[in-house]
Amino acid sequence: AVMAFITIFATVLETSTVRTAAAYSFSRSIGRHQQRQTSASFLHATNARALSTRPRPIPLGVPVNTSTRLFSTVESASGPDVIASVEAQIATKGNEIRSLKEGGISKDDLAPHVAELLALKAKLVDLTGGEAPAPTPAKKAPKKKPKKQPAKKDESEMSVNELRESRLGKVQAMRDAGAEPYAYVYDPNRTASQLSKEYEGRLEPGQEDEECEEIAVAGRIMARRVFGKLAFYTLQDETGTIQLQFDKKRLRERDEDSFKNLKAWTDTGDIIGAKGTIRRTDKGELTLYAKEWTMLTKSALPLPDKYHGLTDISKRYRNRHLDLIVNPSVRETFYKRAKITSSLRRQLDAKGFLEIETPVLHTQPGGAEAKPFETYH
């Protein structure tokens, strides 16, 4: 009985030992298999991350999901940090695309950057489990407002030096355009007083004398009034004043830029010549309807104020040339004085008198023949 028990116990023990060895062998086999699976998974995940960093082309117009990607990746957990990282990448790529557009990149070169941006947005959709956000419209660059040009100063607000520089600038502009601001010769065939006498009682308001010869006048601009495509100038010569009418359409028949140059180059005080026909305006004023004009003398300084004139006595005596231009009564006085002197001279000449200059009758030498002397100062 004892031997039988020992035999049975040895058999059971052997069987357990065999089973334990088999179990140990099987567990070691399972461990090695799991280790190989873990290594393979690690390598697969590493390759997937490497591929995910490359641009993943996505067909346009196709919903983005896992089955449509050209490069399969192992999705990471959709944690807040991952989502924030993807959103930051989308913002960075968007700024990069905008800068490339501003730099003038072509559509073909821009396409890979757009595809990468779309891939990042698709990844964000997968992580958040929502729908793809609508594309934000490109912000238009704000239009640059044109800089306001400084208001042109009125002549009354400009200093004498500024006025002179402005007018001399127009002189240079004329020469640059091939026009002479100081003409050598001009032949007018009428004066203001002659036209006034010739057309006295003729022409109704608004009527034009188209049958007369072309009339040429010359004088100084005393006033100018410009109304868009129409301009009226008051011209003064040695006999009186006459109005000039300039029409843009009429002047363009002979010179395309005539009216533009008229407005840009002329000022009060300039001496100009004009050719055209005679008409009366609707208000009945005798007017030369000009076909062309010519600059004869460009004035470097303006005339005195047309409303107040030159009334200061000291200024009138210091600037006799201005006094003669703007005050017709003074000019008439000088004219009469010259006529009186000339008449007396002719009468005395006719009676045999000899005109001798006053210094000839002096008994004391003067000028270069005077004796030098020293002063007490």
Side-chain angles (χ1 to χ4, degrees), residues 288-299:
L288 178 73
Y289 195 18
K291 295 181 179 179
E292 64 177 62
W293 70 279
T294 305
M295 177 67 75
L296 303 181
T297 302
K298 180 63 185 175
S299 175

Side-chain angles (χ1 to χ4, degrees), residues 24-146:
Y24 176 74
S25 176
F26 178 73
S27 63
R28 289 188 62 186
S29 175
I30 292 298
R32 286 193 296 271
H33 179 70
Q34 288 179 349
Q35 186 178 4
R36 285 195 297 272
Q37 289 290 341
T38 303
S39 300
S41 298
F42 175 76
L43 292 174
H44 180 69
T46 304
N47 293 334
R49 281 195 296 271
L51 290 173
S52 65
T53 59
R54 300 178 185 175
R56 293 181 294 174
I58 303 297
L60 298 177
V62 178
V64 179
N65 53 48
T66 309
S67 61
T68 57
R69 298 184 183 178
L70 298 184
F71 302 101
S72 62
T73 62
V74 175
E75 298 296 338
S76 61
S78 57
D81 295 339
V82 177
I83 294 175
S85 175
V86 174
E87 289 177 348
Q89 293 177 16
I90 291 174
T92 303
K93 179 55 66 175
N95 293 333
E96 181 182 354
I97 290 175
R98 278 191 289 273
S99 63
L100 291 173
K101 286 182 178 180
E102 291 176 359
I105 189 172
S106 64
K107 291 184 178 180
D108 295 338
D109 295 337
L110 188 63
H113 298 278
V114 175
E116 186 175 353
L117 178 62
L118 293 176
L120 289 172
K121 290 183 178 181
K123 183 176 181 180
L124 181 62
V125 171
D126 291 343
L127 293 174
T128 57
E131 296 181 355
T136 56
K139 294 182 180 180
K140 294 183 179 179
K143 293 183 179 179
K144 293 183 179 179
K145 294 183 179 181

Side-chain angles (χ1 to χ4, degrees), residues 364-375:
Q364 297 295 331
E369 297 180 357
K371 182 180 179 180
F373 64 94
E374 295 181 1
T375 66

Side-chain angles (χ1 to χ4, degrees), residues 190-223:
R190 294 288 196 285
T191 63
S193 61
Q194 288 174 347
L195 290 173
S196 179
K197 292 177 181 178
E198 185 177 348
Y199 284 91
E200 186 176 1
R202 296 174 56 186
L203 299 178
E204 296 295 328
Q207 185 180 358
E208 179 183 355
D209 186 7
E210 299 179 353
E211 298 179 356
C212 70
E213 63 174 345
E214 189 172 68
I215 294 175
V217 296
R220 188 183 299 274
I221 300 175
M222 302 303 295

